[in-house]
Tab-separated table of all heavy atoms in Angstrom:
chain	number	residue	atom	x	y	z
G	227	SER	N	73.024	112.717	168.206
G	227	SER	CA	73.668	111.445	167.652
G	227	SER	C	72.938	110.846	166.669
G	227	SER	O	73.487	110.346	165.626
G	227	SER	CB	73.983	110.485	168.803
G	227	SER	OG	73.290	110.804	169.981
G	228	LEU	N	71.607	110.869	166.820
G	228	LEU	CA	70.782	110.158	165.644
G	228	LEU	C	70.954	110.894	164.379
G	228	LEU	O	70.926	110.341	163.261
G	228	LEU	CB	69.250	110.120	166.008
G	228	LEU	CG	68.986	109.096	167.115
G	228	LEU	CD1	67.546	109.383	167.662
G	228	LEU	CD2	69.060	107.751	166.465
G	229	ALA	N	70.890	112.372	164.431
G	229	ALA	CA	71.145	112.996	163.152
G	229	ALA	C	72.475	112.722	162.552
G	229	ALA	O	72.610	112.610	161.262
G	229	ALA	CB	70.976	114.581	163.472
G	230	LEU	N	73.545	112.669	163.239
G	230	LEU	CA	74.965	112.436	162.804
G	230	LEU	C	75.044	111.031	162.318
G	230	LEU	O	75.441	110.779	161.104
G	230	LEU	CB	75.943	112.514	163.947
G	230	LEU	CG	76.156	114.002	164.337
G	230	LEU	CD1	77.186	114.094	165.510
G	230	LEU	CD2	76.669	114.869	163.178
G	231	LEU	N	74.307	110.052	163.037
G	231	LEU	CA	74.245	108.639	162.413
G	231	LEU	C	73.543	108.518	161.124
G	231	LEU	O	74.041	107.966	160.258
G	231	LEU	CB	73.634	107.726	163.521
G	231	LEU	CG	73.515	106.316	163.066
G	231	LEU	CD1	74.880	105.567	163.168
G	231	LEU	CD2	72.521	105.589	164.054
G	232	GLY	N	72.462	109.289	161.018
G	232	GLY	CA	71.673	109.231	159.784
G	232	GLY	C	72.483	109.939	158.654
G	232	GLY	O	72.516	109.489	157.613
G	233	ARG	N	73.179	110.841	158.931
G	233	ARG	CA	73.961	111.546	157.871
G	233	ARG	C	75.142	110.631	157.480
G	233	ARG	O	75.458	110.501	156.279
G	233	ARG	CB	74.627	112.874	158.450
G	233	ARG	CG	74.478	113.962	157.508
G	233	ARG	CD	74.783	115.281	158.209
G	233	ARG	NE	73.528	115.942	158.577
G	233	ARG	CZ	73.584	117.339	158.886
G	233	ARG	NH1	74.582	117.996	158.820
G	233	ARG	NH2	72.473	117.877	159.140
G	234	TRP	N	75.731	109.980	158.344
G	234	TRP	CA	76.956	109.176	158.083
G	234	TRP	C	76.421	107.855	157.307
G	234	TRP	O	77.041	107.442	156.441
G	234	TRP	CB	77.720	108.826	159.434
G	234	TRP	CG	78.722	107.867	159.194
G	234	TRP	CD1	79.896	108.053	158.704
G	234	TRP	CD2	78.801	106.479	159.671
G	234	TRP	NE1	80.622	106.935	158.617
G	234	TRP	CE2	79.933	105.908	159.248
G	234	TRP	CE3	77.797	105.700	160.204
G	234	TRP	CZ2	80.371	104.528	159.618
G	234	TRP	CZ3	78.021	104.358	160.634
G	234	TRP	CH2	79.367	103.894	160.163
G	235	ALA	N	75.349	107.129	157.960
G	235	ALA	CA	75.054	105.836	157.427
G	235	ALA	C	74.078	105.945	156.346
G	235	ALA	O	74.209	105.087	155.396
G	235	ALA	CB	74.499	105.050	158.631
G	236	PHE	N	73.166	106.850	156.246
G	236	PHE	CA	72.089	106.811	155.236
G	236	PHE	C	72.111	108.082	154.437
G	236	PHE	O	71.151	108.213	153.562
G	236	PHE	CB	70.727	106.555	155.852
G	236	PHE	CG	70.695	105.376	156.689
G	236	PHE	CD1	70.616	105.532	158.151
G	236	PHE	CD2	70.677	104.049	156.212
G	236	PHE	CE1	70.498	104.439	158.905
G	236	PHE	CE2	70.594	103.033	157.025
G	236	PHE	CZ	70.499	103.130	158.404
G	237	ARG	N	72.977	108.996	154.599
G	237	ARG	CA	72.957	110.268	153.975
G	237	ARG	C	71.636	110.928	153.942
G	237	ARG	O	71.096	111.483	153.115
G	237	ARG	CB	73.472	110.112	152.498
G	237	ARG	CG	74.972	109.969	152.462
G	237	ARG	CD	75.252	109.611	150.951
G	237	ARG	NE	74.921	108.268	150.675
G	237	ARG	CZ	74.833	107.747	149.469
G	237	ARG	NH1	74.989	108.358	148.453
G	237	ARG	NH2	74.530	106.465	149.227
G	238	VAL	N	71.046	110.938	155.214
G	238	VAL	CA	69.788	111.496	155.471
G	238	VAL	C	70.006	112.964	156.051
G	238	VAL	O	70.698	112.866	157.013
G	238	VAL	CB	68.927	110.794	156.459
G	238	VAL	CG1	67.552	111.398	156.514
G	238	VAL	CG2	68.806	109.314	155.980
Side-chain angles (χ1 to χ4, degrees):
Chain G
S227 15
L228 284 171
L230 290 177
L231 178 72
R233 226 167 258 200
W234 172 74
F236 305 110
R237 280 172 287 162
V238 188

